[in-house]
Structures are given as structure tokens and as C-alpha cells.
Amino acid sequence: MTGSQYEDSEHEGAPDVRAVLGRDGAFAPSWLRGKSVTPVPAGTRLDTELGRRIEAGCRAVGSPYVLATDLADNPGAIAGTRSRPATGTEGMEVHPPFLLCAPGLQGAVLFPGPGYALIAGTAAFMAAAVGEGVDAARARFGRHARALADRHPALPAVAAAYGPVHRAWSRPEDVDPQSAAARQLALLDAFAEGTCAAKDFAAGWWEARRASQTNGERLRGALGTLFDQVFMILEDYEVDPGFAEPGDLDDAGLEAAVRAARDAFRNQKTGRSEN
């Protein structure tokens, strides 16, 4: 979506955005089924970051515009509001309370008041609109709420209502054995120990990484650094040799680089160093 046009006329064929909100002005439980939600920091109007989030989510689900609904006249009952299309959010004068929806209602941003907005949507919408992951966004919002509690007393309650589902793991032994991150650890050990082929490791790692992001799993500290290093190593490896470029790692190079990263992590954890 490009441009900053904001039309006051109702968009022909626009879906009924009343399905998104309940009578209390919150997201309707019926609409939230199969979707996730997270609060994000916001100011007193639609800012650049929030605008980029809604645009990214809309692009991800194939929506060329957003539906903007002003809730100021009747915030408790959306029936009296109008839905307006926009070709882009940059430059739009949007002040809370407001609702921004993707056509098809796969995602929405509810901007109830200064200090925060709620982003909700399908997995595809949220993966683009909340690229850092839902749990990471929730954790970030918790810090935002604590920092601005004096200015916006409602924020701590919002943060408490939408806390991270997963805590951030910093040690392999703390990782939930049923998690996608645990599958990544198992693949890492198997590959470094020579019981998993390079192509199987790469394909399995990418699949588990996508699942971990979708699940909102978070890693921190040295363990997070290790996973970031493996990600960067795999960026230089092509599973299909026919698509490999000069300088890409071959199977042996991938194994050596991954084993080195894993050994460095283990040495750091135990306080040992290689001479």
C-alpha cells in the first residue's frame, strides 16, 4: 500500500467491521477464535510504527487497503460508525478511539486510547504485523507499561491481561521439551555429532524455526546468540546444490561452522576456553 489518501466515503463492498468488536468495545471473542492478540506501544495518534504494522499485516493477507472506523461517536456500540478505505496509513489523521481492519477481517488494530493499541489477527497477518513474535511484543509492552505507568495508569492492567505465554529461555535445560526450540536443539546436537545429514538439518531447522516464531517462543542470553549464529550460518548454505552461489557453504563447511558455534556456546556455559 502506498500513498496517503484517506477517503470519507464508505468503500463499496467493504465487510461489516461490526464482527470485530463486541458491545463493550473490545475484540469480540467470536472474531478472536483462531487469532492471537498483543498490545503494542502507541502515542496520541497513529504513528509511523503502528502504521507500518497494519500495512505489513494487510500486505501479508493480500489486502490493498485498510478500513478505518472512528469509534469516538459511539465507542460502546460500533453500529453507528462508518468504515472508510485508505490506500495507505502514512499521513492519516487517526486519533483514538479508532479501529483499523484488513478487508476480509483477517487482522485488526484497535486503538482505544493514548498509550497503547491492540493488534490481533490470523497467523499470516500477525507474522507480518508483529514480526518480532507475539510473546516478544508482549514482553516489550510490559516494559513500556512499567515505564509509563505514571502517565498512563491503565497500561499495567493491559500488560497483565496480555502477558507472554512462554517465558524467555536462556539455558537448554530450561527449554520446554515439547517446544519447537527443543526440536532445534535436538537437531543441533544430532548434526554436530554426525547422526543427521546436512540437508536434513537445514530443512528441519528452518521448519522448527518458523514454528517457534509462530508459537511466540523466546530465547535470550547466550542461547539466543547461538540460535542467531546458526541462523546466519544457514543463510550461507543452499540445500539444493543447483542453486548454490560462489562462496556458499558446502555440507562439510556447514557442519564445521555449526559445530564451532555449538562448541563455543558449551565452552562459554562451562567457563572453559580453547587454547
Side-chain angles (χ1 to χ4, degrees):
M1 292 180 293
T2 59
S4 57
Q5 182 181 358
Y6 182 48
E7 301 174 7
D8 288 331
S9 59
E10 190 163 350
H11 183 69
E12 183 180 354
D16 189 348
V17 297
R18 286 176 293 183
V20 176
L21 296 187
R23 289 290 180 177
D24 60 355
F27 285 131
S30 57
W31 179 76
L32 279 177
R33 281 196 291 268
K35 301 179 180 70
S36 56
V37 56
T38 183
V40 296
T44 58
R45 62 182 297 276
L46 180 70
D47 57 24
T48 300
E49 181 177 358
L50 191 56
R52 286 173 178 169
R53 286 184 183 276
I54 183 68
E55 289 190 6
C58 286
R59 284 196 299 270
V61 297
S63 298
Y65 59 92
V66 297
L67 298 169
T69 305
D70 190 348
L71 306 176
D73 293 336
N74 194 4
I78 196 171
T81 64
R82 297 179 65 199
S83 176
R84 306 179 182 95
T87 56
T89 58
E90 184 180 355
M92 287 172 55
E93 283 298 323
V94 174
H95 299 271
F98 229 88
L99 177 69
L100 298 168
C101 294
L105 307 186
Q106 294 189 58
V109 173
L110 176 60
F111 193 6
Y116 78 101
L118 295 175
I119 300 180
T122 60
F125 182 90
M126 295 297 281
V130 190
E132 67 270 40
V134 169
D135 260 17
R138 288 182 171 192
R140 177 193 175 201
F141 185 80
R143 296 188 293 271
H144 169 76
R146 290 190 293 272
L148 296 183
D150 290 342
R151 188 185 312 170
H152 300 294
L155 294 188
V158 175
Y162 298 100
V165 176
H166 302 280
R167 61 192 181 94
W169 301 309
S170 59
R171 301 183 304 171
E173 54 267 32
D174 293 335
V175 174
D176 182 346
Q178 303 302 316
S179 66
R183 296 204 300 272
Q184 289 177 281
L185 283 171
L187 282 165
L188 184 60
D189 288 342
F191 185 49
E193 292 165 6
T195 59
C196 177
K199 293 177 176 58
D200 293 336
F201 168 74
W205 181 279
W206 287 125
E207 181 182 359
R209 184 177 187 273
R210 288 190 294 269
S212 182
Q213 289 179 316
T214 299
N215 295 339
E217 298 170 3
R218 294 183 296 131
L219 302 171
R220 62 183 177 87
L223 183 60
T225 300
L226 171 63
F227 276 45
D228 288 342
Q229 289 175 335
V230 174
F231 167 79
M232 290 185 288
I233 291 169
L234 282 169
E235 287 277 89
D236 292 328
Y237 174 78
E238 176 54 59
V239 174
D240 186 342
F243 292 99
E245 298 179 353
D248 281 353
L249 294 170
D250 58 13
D251 289 2
L254 176 65
E255 182 179 353
V258 169
R259 182 181 291 116
R262 173 176 174 264
D263 290 347
F265 168 75
R266 289 189 166 187
N267 292 337
Q268 179 181 359
K269 188 173 67 168
T270 60
R272 293 185 286 110
S273 61
E274 296 284 350
N275 292 325

